[in-house]
Each structure stands twice: as structure tokens, then as C-alpha cells.
Amino acid sequence: MRLDAAIVGAVERLSPSSESARLDAEILLCQSIDMPRSYLFAHPEDELDTHALDRFEALLQRRLEGVPMAYISGTKEFWSHELLVSPATLVPRPETELLVSLALHEIPQDAEWQILDLGTGCGAIAVAIAGERPLCNITATDVSAEALAIARENIRQASLPNVSCLEGSWTTPVTGRLFNVIVSNPPYIREDDEALQSLRHEPLSALVSGADGLDDIRVLAVDCISSLIENGPLMMEHGPDQQEAVAGILNEAGWAEITCHNDLGGRPRVTVARRSGK
Ligand code: SAM
Ligand code: GLN
């Protein structure tokens, strides 16, 4: 079969379940023949040998089962870093770049601050901040040893000596330390949310947080206070419908200046609160 025909056939099969059927088909085909995408446009008439055709079919099957492209290719781009991901890590989302940009806004270019990223997964937020603020020290934690192994590899590949990883639940691994800024994209999906069906290939422990999706945010709201300097911000991503609940939890726990920020789609996604000086 010719390369162009293989793409047409794959697009037809992928279209009902993927919004990016053509791109998916091209990337999977490139992975099957071990060539860059430009090769497909330069040599559409090339014939696929049986081995490549078998590989392509196997990759297509995984995609048709709903496996995210990032798990099939093993990488995902985030804040211009090509990051390794695995089924032990969430696939970093573009909306999480809002949390990164708010954190960078908070951290002066020449600051030599201590930054904490809780629940780092593949290390996306920590790597992005560390690359932009080389004088800061970033501590990245996760309860999953498998996720941390991926994060460590991403940190190594990005040549970032200013990030260290610690395993443990939320602030437990940093007990007694003080940070200038804490960032977190914790699990925040309700355990009965229908959206989980389409996220079934990602780790539940990275996504789900109790009946209302707020169990981990409740823990962070209480525990992070003693890990921040006075006026230091806690910056957390949450679901677009959780703005009021998150503000209520933070208010109850004694945080000041609670402000919510919208993503590019205008949906409230990141709440920032400061450790009160009082
Ligand atoms: N920060 C990454 C990102 O933005 O792509 C991953 C975020 S993912 C939504 C949440 C992460 O929190 C997962 O990596 C999960 O393993 C971690 N996590 C879940 N419960 C935790 C806990 N009790 N303590 C620390 N990390 C936890
Ligand atoms: N943003 C992810 C989603 O809705 C959820 C990530 C999380 O729970 N932090 O697909």
C-alpha cells in the first residue's frame, strides 16, 4: 500500500473518535516507518512493506481504543519542552500553561527563590518554571514513584540542575521547610464524572479526588500554610466549575487575597491565595 493511501484509510477509521484524525494518522505512520513527517509529503507514492504495515495497524488499533497520542509516541510538548510521559503520568494539558505563566509572573527574573510543585507527574510544571527561572530551586514531589522516575528523566534531559524530586504525599516530604511559592495541579475530578470514561487510559490517582473532586484541594488548603513564607502564594489549578468551592475552602483555612484566573477560553481554572501575615 502507498503512504498516501494508508493515510486516507486511517483518517477514515480515526475520524469518528479523534478530533485530530489526519495528524494522528500521519504521526502514527511516521512512527511505523521511522521517518519524519516531511517524508510523507515528499514521497507519497512510497510503498509500505509488510513489517511497516503491521506496525502501523498495531499503532492504529491502540489509537482506536482511545489511548492518547502522547502514550503511543511516549512524549508530549509542554511549554516548548518535549517531555516523556508514561501511563504512570498524566498527559500534561495546555491549560496547565496558565498556572506556569501565573507563577512566572509572581517570580522575578533574578529571584533566588524556593519553589514547590506538588504532584509533579512527569515534571511538566517544575521543568517549565526551572527553565525560565534558573536561579530558583524547584522541589517537585509526587506520591507515585513511577511518575517521579519519568520526572527525573525529563529534568535530566532538559539539563536542569535546579530541580530536585521528593516522593511522598503532598507536603509530607518537605515538612519544616519554607517556600516562596507553591504551585499544584492536583487531582480534582469527581469520582462519578462521566468525563472519566474518555480519560480511562490515564492514572485515576492523578485525576480523581473524592465525591466532589475537592478532597486533595482541602488537604492542600490546610497543609500548605505552614510551608509558605508570609504572603507567599499557593497557586492551584482546578475544574472550571470549582471556583466558588475552592475559594470557600481556602477562606475557611485562613488564606488571604483569594483570586481566580481564567484560561484562554475564559473559564476559571487557577486560584491564587496568599498566606496571611496575621
Ligand atoms: N503536575 C502534572 C501536570 O500538571 O501535568 C501532573 C498533575 S496530575 C493532575 C496530579 C498528580 O498528583 C499526579 O502525578 C499524582 O500522582 C499526584 N498525586 C496524587 N495524589 C497525591 C498525593 N497524595 N501526594 C502527592 N502527589 C499526589
Ligand atoms: N485537566 C484534566 C482534565 O480535565 C484533569 C486534571 C486534574 O484532575 N488535575 O482532563
Side-chain angles (χ1 to χ4, degrees):
M1 188 189 301
R2 284 169 51 129
L3 294 181
D4 51 2
I7 293 175
V8 171
V11 171
E12 205 166 289
R13 291 167 67 192
L14 287 167
S15 289
S17 56
S18 171
E19 284 170 11
S20 50
R22 173 138 203 125
L23 183 62
D24 295 0
E26 289 175 3
I27 292 172
L28 296 178
L29 188 55
C30 291
Q31 211 172 316
S32 318
I33 58 173
D34 218 2
M35 286 291 181
R37 248 173 93 219
S38 54
Y39 189 90
L40 302 180
F41 310 115
H43 303 279
E45 73 292 345
D46 262 21
E47 291 286 333
L48 278 166
D49 62 33
T50 340
H51 176 66
L53 205 53
D54 287 350
R55 269 185 85 183
F56 187 43
E57 183 56 33
L59 295 176
L60 259 181
Q61 277 306 331
R62 290 185 68 200
R63 186 64 187 130
L64 287 166
E65 283 158 19
V67 178
M69 281 301 288
Y71 288 158
I72 302 178
S73 67
T75 61
K76 176 76 183 177
E77 191 178 311
F78 182 83
W79 203 268
S80 80
H81 293 271
E82 186 81 358
L83 298 173
L84 299 173
V85 294
S86 85
T89 72
L90 184 92
V91 177
R93 306 289 202 268
E95 56 264 34
T96 301
E97 293 181 337
L98 169 65
L99 179 54
V100 172
S101 61
L102 289 168
L104 292 176
H105 193 71
E106 195 68 45
I107 312 168
Q109 195 75 47
D110 57 353
E112 298 179 15
W113 285 5
Q114 300 291 324
I115 315 292
L116 178 59
D117 172 22
L118 293 171
T120 198
C122 74
I125 299 168
V127 164
I129 294 177
E132 299 283 351
R133 296 289 183 272
L135 301 180
C136 287
N137 277 313
I138 324 294
T139 303
T141 75
D142 207 289
V143 77
S144 158
E146 291 89 350
L148 275 187
I150 301 286
R152 285 196 178 95
E153 187 53 25
N154 281 321
I155 292 159
R156 193 189 66 76
Q157 288 192 10
S159 305
L160 294 167
N162 55 332
V163 193
S164 44
C165 292
L166 294 174
E167 187 184 330
S169 187
W170 299 132
T171 54
T172 320
V174 294
T175 308
R177 287 179 59 188
L178 281 183
F179 294 86
N180 299 84
V181 175
I182 300 180
V183 290
S184 184
N185 172 17
Y188 52 69
I189 297 182
R190 289 191 325 269
E191 60 196 9
D192 65 352
D193 195 322
E194 285 172 9
L196 288 172
Q197 176 55 21
S198 61
L199 304 173
R200 66 190 180 283
H201 294 278
E202 294 182 86
L204 269 186
S205 54
L207 294 166
V208 174
S209 194
D212 62 359
L214 295 165
D215 282 3
D216 288 296
I217 288 180
R218 279 188 202 94
V219 173
L220 292 172
V222 172
D223 291 0
C224 287
I225 292 195
S226 53
S227 299
L228 272 172
I229 62 159
E230 206 174 297
N231 283 321
L234 167 64
M235 320 179 84
M236 291 187 295
E237 180 177 314
H238 50 72
D241 57 350
Q242 293 175 328
Q243 171 182 9
E244 279 176 30
V246 171
I249 290 167
L250 289 165
N251 190 39
E252 176 109 334
W255 293 82
E257 294 179 46
I258 300 162
T259 318
C260 189
H261 299 262
N262 292 351
D263 64 15
L264 291 174
R267 294 166 307 173
R269 295 311 300 274
V270 174
T271 291
V272 179
R274 287 177 198 278
R275 177 181 171 168
S276 164
K278 287 172 266 162

